[in-house]
Amino acid sequence: MIVQSNEFICSNLQHFFLSMPNSDLTLEPLCQLQIMATKYSLFRSRTLPSFTFYSPPRFRFAAKRLFVPLVSFPSTTTVLSFSTLPYGPSLQKGYSPFPLKPVKHTSSGENITSLDEAAFTRVFDISALRVPSSICSKLENRLRGHLLNWPRIRNIARVPGDEIDDQLKSLLPSSGNGAEAEDENLVALKRRIYGKAEGGEPLDAVSYRDKLAMTFNSRGYVKFRNLAKMSRPKKKKKRDDREKVQMKGIGKNEMAVVQVVEDEEEESDGEELSRLLGEDVKRPPKWRGSTRLLLLDEQLANKSIEELPEAIKVVFQEHDSQCMELVKCKLTLFYDYWELHEVLEILLPNGMIIPSAFEAVGHIAHLNLRAEHLQYKNLIAKVVLDKNRPKIQTVVNKVEAIHNEYRTMQLEILAGNKSLVTTLVENGLRFHVDLAAVYWNSRLATERQRLLSCFTRSDVVCDVFAGVGPIAISAAKKVKRVYANDLNPCAVEYLERNCVLNKLERKIEVFNMDGRRFIETVFASERTQSITQVVMHLPKDAAEFLDAFRGIFEGNRPGKEYVLPRIHVYGFSKAQDPEFDFHERIRTALSEAALDVEMHRVRAVAPGKWMLCASFILPESVAYSKMGSNL
């Protein structure tokens, strides 16, 4: 049997359907024919076909005529796609009242700093159900699957101007009480609002003020609790239209505004009424009582009641038409709504990696920008600062790698205040840090917590490279005694300050020495207690200081018992087997072949580069060696 080509099969299918205008075909035979065509395509090309619909993915019936979406069967494998944009808000959707000016990408390396926040305003057309506030919560639970479930957007919006106090609801006219009761309610309402006497005559200004003064007591105005606020209204601040769009809508906050779009007929009627009666006279409200808006799903925008899902139709049938209304709305999302990566995707060129991750050190955001990002560093810093306020107040970037003796970073302040001195909290303790003079890495908080879990109350800890004290001060809360040392005098100053800040200065003894000299001093001193734990958290050079432990107990004094300490040393490795490589470096530094070491991978600091932690008990042969350290 000769298999016909894909184009011939598709053309025959289209002619077959178009030649049957009054056919009663259902969806099932149509799908069967598509499956048959797919089988022919698979038999012919041995590849997976893809269906491309050139209209919305639904079958539309009109005048008993079936409109079939065009189907193409390409010879190459592609992915089935129904929509180019995913569900939810996006800067690619909607329309903007302020067109976004494209960022001028230059190749000269000049920094780009301009950012128009108003250009990120996006307006979306949606539909909403206007319902009484009393049944709003109940309907929200019933229709939750058909509501606008966008992140950071509430499904319920308030309508300004229709909030009525509960005490006044009973005074409002209602159709069920009769005309006489309605007149009485109106008279009582006017007396309460306008201060009219029992006979209906309005009081003069002086008598009305005296009457209000008599109702004043220690709790304030009894009948007019908001009178003081009404007498002194706050001055409204003038805002630039370019900064934030001023709308008469509802549910307004810093990120979004919902505005009810009135019909053209109602707007024209309102214009004619205001032209006849004057601009000060407003139309009577259509609704009586407090109302809310239930924002419907974006796929239900601009649809009539007949086109809504059955769940919403049932709600309309259960409630009176005067109690529920389908309205059109405009949802406006401002610059504050969009996330960091969404804004940077628009600002940066296509294909560039979005630098959305950073290290937070107190109020400072520490970036590690690549060379391709340096042209946009000020622009990136401003967006990072805007999207993380008030927690982040300063944005910095590391200029170059750490090469100095004190392990301090060369930082460039890109946005925010100019202070690099901050206070942060870790493990329930507070630390003062100056990133310009000391080293700190917040990403090692989990590793520090793991290390602290290895200590007991009877331990005596020796921290050779303590820095500002993240390990030493945290260990002081748990262990018996801590000896902390650092070569950087600024780090030692902050270490002492942090000890006093956390009220642990009595359990910590601080030193300012070289690492080898400190190890020899603290183990040889008679004042020090027997050290059980040694921490060497200097990954770049810590393994080179292990030779200081050779012969540390060689001059054993009689009558004193020595405890072989457990050493925790950190290091980097780029080898294919980082554990074996780091183990060999430790054995070489200690000149010990038989060494039982526990290895732990801390984290990957770069592609192919690992930070490791090796824990082992100092061998007796090394501690009592006569070789001594190579000074």
Side-chain angles (χ1 to χ4, degrees), residues 361-372:
V361 183
H363 72 274
I364 302 173
H366 178 202
L367 302 176
N368 285 325
L369 298 179
R370 303 188 178 190
E372 59 182 356

Side-chain angles (χ1 to χ4, degrees), residues 170-197:
S170 60
L171 301 177
L172 288 174
S174 59
S175 58
N177 296 334
E180 297 180 357
E182 183 174 347
D183 295 338
E184 293 179 359
N185 291 334
L186 286 176
V187 172
L189 181 61
K190 291 180 180 179
R191 287 176 183 173
R192 182 166 183 176
I193 296 178
Y194 301 107
K196 290 186 177 182

Side-chain angles (χ1 to χ4, degrees), residues 24 125 128 150 154 162 245 343 401-402 497 512 522 543 599 629:
D24 293 327
D125 295 329
W150 284 4
R154 295 190 59 185
D162 66 351
V245 180
V343 177
I402 301 175
R497 186 184 304 179
N512 183 203
V522 74
M599 287 289 181
S629 61

